[in-house]
Structure formats: structure tokens, C-alpha cells
Amino acid sequence: MQIWGHCRFSYFGRSDTGREIDTLETAFAKLWHPVRMAVRFHLFETLLLPAIRAQTDPGFVFQIVTSTRMPDLFQDRLDRVTADIPQLRILRTEETDLNRALNPTMLEAGADGTGAAAHFRVDDDDAVSVDYVARLRQAARRVDPGGMITFPTGVIGFLHEGAARHAPFQKHSIAIGLALVEPPGGRNPFRIQHVVHASRVPSYCDPTFPAYHYTLHSANNTAGYGRIFHLDTGEHRRIQRLMQQHPEFAEGALTTPAAEAALAAVFPHTTGEALRAAILRAGDPVGLAEEMGFPAEPFASPLTPG
């Protein structure tokens, strides 16, 4: 069975996190704001890409979808930082409907006669465990076409009052690493509301291993685009709950034994300390932009015919 991974990288168009960016002018002002993009690239390069490189099962395709309109400065960096990953390819599209943009990919998957393929999703600021593809391949053998696969156990990394911390995390049907088993031309994994979908189709769930790193930081899409970055993550309700659930954090701890053991087990190419350093660095978006040579102000949107 083929395994396909799907990741959006500052894609301009309709998708489950793209509803606020509805004009090209807004995309240049917010989605592709250089300070925001610096955070996205930083986490993409330090969390997601190393985990993709380190997969124990190399037999997969990992496709990043982005927009042809994204400024060349970011296009060039995207090419450069992904060039060494043989499984990775970039789909650049003018299509602003993500489902239509991915239709050719979904037709291609399994069209070689192998039948249904497993399609997983991950955001550019999260990561899947190094054994994720191997685990998914095993699970997909148990799932009929049209079914869903969820690995609900992982680790969450977050910023809180100037410190980066890690804690165990579990959520059934979490979007990170969520997979669909689909025949050629079937649904892509961004086409569903993942929690709702789990109540409508047969689902396979394996909570027995840590499958992902979930990152809460200054430029999370789910925090909205009202501001380019959000440094007051201590106000986030999920973070407030985590602080309450782990009283050791109030005493200065940056991680828990369970979280640290999970990170060591499924992200052996790095360390919990290094991951926390990366999350902490995301708390300085302006500094990251300067370090990457990005301008502090947004690019001007090209003039469109009146």
C-alpha cells in the first residue's frame, strides 16, 4: 500500500485554517507577512523536516502544497531547505480551492494498481514520530477503503511566560498524523472535519505509542490572523489546563518524565532540550526574521486588473 503525506505551507485558499485569508491583499499582509513566515520556516526546519528525514520506513511520498503567488524569497527558501529529502515534493498551485488542487494527487495515488492508499496530514509546525510511516503502514492493512486511522497519543510543546515546556498529550482524532485509507480519486485528509468524521466512518485507533509533537507557539494558525503573532500564549485555555494538570511546572520544571521519555523514544535524532530551545526561539519572531534576512514589513501585493 502506498503512503502519502500531505502538508500545507502557507497555502492561499480555502481550507480548514484558511477562511480568514480571502483576498490576495490579505495574504500578502498576513499570511505571507515576513515575520510570520520566519516562525513558520523556523519550526518547519527544526521540527517537521528532521522527523520526515528520520523516518524508519522510507517508502512514502510527502507532498507540500503551497501557492504560486507566495513571494519568491519564501519559494526559494522552501526549495533550499527541502532539497535533500528524496520523498518530498512540492505542489505549487494557483488553485484557491484545496480540494481541487489536490484532486490530481489523489487520482495519482494508487493508480499504479496497488489500490487504496493511506493519506496522512501534518501541519508545518508539528511533527510525526520517526516510526510513524511504519506504524501507519501496519495499521492501514487493517482498514478498509473509506476508513480512518488515528494515533491519539503524543507530546505537546508550548510557550508559557517566557519558558518552553513539554507535557504528555492525548486527543482522539487529533489532526496531527490523521490518516484516511482511500481509493484513487478519494478524499484528501484536509477535506474532512476530523472529529466529526471519526463518528461517521470505521476508525482504527492505536493509543499505545507517542506518535507526534504538537506545537503551540506565537504564530499558530488556529489562533487566527487578527495579529501576526501571539506572544501571550499563557492566556490559551489549553495551556492553562496543562499548567494546572502539572503542578511541577509552577515549581520551575520544563518537562515531565513521561514527556521526556516519549521524546527520547520517538524523536531520537534530537533531544527534548533542543526541541524546547526551538519553541523558545519561536517567541522572538522579529529576531528570527532578521536572522533569516526577511524584511520587517510585508511585501506589496501585485496590482490586479480593475
Side-chain angles (χ1 to χ4, degrees), residues 193-228:
Q193 292 295 326
H194 45 97
V195 175
V196 174
H197 196 67
S199 68
R200 295 178 175 172
V201 302
S203 300
Y204 176 84
C205 174
D206 183 354
T208 62
F209 73 103
Y212 58 83
H213 183 286
Y214 170 26
T215 317
L216 282 177
H217 59 88
S218 61
N220 275 110
N221 286 345
T222 48
Y225 295 92
R227 287 172 287 175
I228 302 304

Side-chain angles (χ1 to χ4, degrees), residues 137-158:
R137 191 180 304 280
Q138 293 175 353
R141 296 190 181 108
R142 306 184 181 192
V143 179
D144 292 331
M148 189 182 92
I149 299 168
T150 175
F151 300 137
T153 302
V155 175
I156 186 169
F158 60 96

Side-chain angles (χ1 to χ4, degrees), residues 233-242:
T233 49
E235 298 177 5
H236 195 292
R237 285 180 292 178
R238 178 160 288 160
I239 291 177
Q240 291 175 348
R241 289 196 298 270
L242 288 165

Side-chain angles (χ1 to χ4, degrees), residues 156-176:
I156 186 169
F158 60 96
L159 280 171
H160 178 260
E161 296 181 354
R165 293 185 165 88
H166 277 118
F169 191 78
Q170 190 172 75
K171 181 180 179 181
H172 192 281
S173 308
I174 191 167
I176 306 168

Side-chain angles (χ1 to χ4, degrees), residues 30-284:
K30 296 185 177 182
L31 180 68
W32 299 322
H33 192 293
V35 174
R36 176 189 177 275
M37 291 297 292
V39 176
R40 307 306 299 195
F41 270 112
H42 168 68
L43 295 172
F44 182 60
E45 294 170 30
T46 57
L47 273 71
L48 179 57
L49 290 184
I52 296 299
R53 290 187 186 97
Q55 288 298 307
T56 59
D57 180 342
F60 66 99
V61 179
F62 190 70
Q63 180 170 275
I64 295 169
V65 60
T66 192
S67 302
T68 55
R69 302 292 189 91
M70 186 170 71
D72 288 344
L73 178 66
F74 307 137
Q75 302 277 11
D76 292 344
R77 188 177 184 100
L78 182 60
D79 284 335
R80 188 168 65 252
V81 301
T82 60
D84 66 326
I85 304 176
Q87 297 89 350
L88 189 147
R89 67 187 202 181
I90 300 172
L91 170 63
R92 291 181 168 93
T93 179
E94 295 183 2
E95 179 59 68
T96 56
D97 183 294
L98 184 60
N99 295 325
R100 286 201 294 265
L102 291 179
N103 276 344
T105 299
M106 299 305 296
L107 285 167
E108 177 185 355
D112 61 353
T114 55
H119 296 267
F120 72 91
R121 58 178 285 178
V122 63
D123 287 342
D124 58 21
D125 52 357
D126 296 318
V128 291
S129 62
V130 298
D131 60 348
Y132 173 84
V133 170
R135 297 268 194 170
L136 178 59
R137 191 180 304 280
Q138 293 175 353
R141 296 190 181 108
R142 306 184 181 192
V143 179
D144 292 331
M148 189 182 92
I149 299 168
T150 175
F151 300 137
T153 302
V155 175
I156 186 169
F158 60 96
L159 280 171
H160 178 260
E161 296 181 354
R165 293 185 165 88
H166 277 118
F169 191 78
Q170 190 172 75
K171 181 180 179 181
H172 192 281
S173 308
I174 191 167
I176 306 168
L178 187 84
L180 302 181
V181 176
E182 293 288 335
R187 287 168 295 192
N188 72 75
F190 297 113
R191 194 168 186 170
I192 62 168
Q193 292 295 326
H194 45 97
V195 175
V196 174
H197 196 67
S199 68
R200 295 178 175 172
V201 302
S203 300
Y204 176 84
C205 174
D206 183 354
T208 62
F209 73 103
Y212 58 83
H213 183 286
Y214 170 26
T215 317
L216 282 177
H217 59 88
S218 61
N220 275 110
N221 286 345
T222 48
Y225 295 92
R227 287 172 287 175
I228 302 304
F229 49 87
H230 306 252
L231 296 181
D232 55 343
T233 49
E235 298 177 5
H236 195 292
R237 285 180 292 178
R238 178 160 288 160
I239 291 177
Q240 291 175 348
R241 289 196 298 270
L242 288 165
M243 295 299 293
Q244 293 169 358
Q245 291 166 1
H246 300 282
E248 61 266 40
F249 289 156
E251 299 173 1
L254 299 179
T255 187
T256 72
E260 208 65 6
L263 292 172
V266 298
F267 296 103
H269 55 283
T270 186
T271 65
E273 183 178 5
L275 291 170
R276 287 188 290 279
I279 296 168
L280 185 62
R281 189 75 180 93
D284 180 18

